[in-house]
Amino acid sequence: MVRAMPEKSPDPERLLRRRVYRGMSLEEAQAAEAAHRKRMAVLLALFMTQFFGMLSNTIIGNSMPVIVAEIGGNQGQYAWIMTSGILANTITTPIAGKLADLLNKKLLYMLGIGIFMVGSLLSGFAWSPESLIAFRVLQGIGMGIQVTLSQVILASVVPPRERGRYNGIMGAIFAVATVSGPLIGGLIVDVPFLGWRWTFWIVIPFMAIALYTVHRRLQMTRDLSRKVSVDYLGALFISTGAAV
């Protein structure tokens, strides 16, 4: 019979030497460390959506000539395939931030992940430049929601004193996604049994894991006594300004 090994507690002296716990008592530092370990599952899901959301913008860079050659299209459509997702992301970001103040953050975040997964799936099935542009817009909307809400949720579940360590991780995620995207996309296109469609489909399994983790682990509530009011005209002006 195999016995489960007890979780090893961090050494008190080493724990207090960590910069994030400086000035705390031992009990406070141990409580903060226990809370950090408890929230890591949710934070890993947030980081995963951040990474693959950003990756979806850069992964198609090296595969674009192959995509355009297969589904057709001109130079203008080539540019729109590249930028449509980024434009939709830009338009969605401020709107998603405002909706996060009014609606249930967890449900809105899960909605963004779901929209992104559907957009990625449909992009892989695109049959023409017009269809790919439309599906990339859907992907960009989901990306804008999930990337914005991941930062909002991070600020909600992590105390201000400890946010620096996680914001640093997010900064590294943006950098790694930007650098690794073209490399991963080029490798996928060169593999004979994959092809360019997998540059869109590769993110779906990881997003499904993140969606399941958020559903099971993230606990958030909102004040239902407030009256929700959405400024539709303001959202229209923001969207128009960003598009122009």
Side-chain angles (χ1 to χ4, degrees), residues 111-132:
L111 176 64
I113 297 176
I115 293 174
F116 180 80
M117 290 173 63
V118 172
S120 300
L121 179 65
L122 294 176
S123 295
F125 285 113
W127 59 88
S128 66
E130 293 80 9
S131 64
L132 183 54

Side-chain angles (χ1 to χ4, degrees), residues 42 46 100 103-107 109 149-150 152-158 214-215 217-223:
V42 173
L46 300 184
L103 306 176
N104 188 301
K105 295 180 178 63
K106 177 179 177 178
L107 294 181
Y109 185 49
L149 266 293
S150 63
V152 172
I153 292 173
L154 175 66
S156 300
V157 301
V158 177
V214 170
H215 173 67
R217 297 295 185 88
L218 181 60
Q219 302 294 329
M220 299 196 73
T221 59
R222 71 180 182 91
D223 183 8

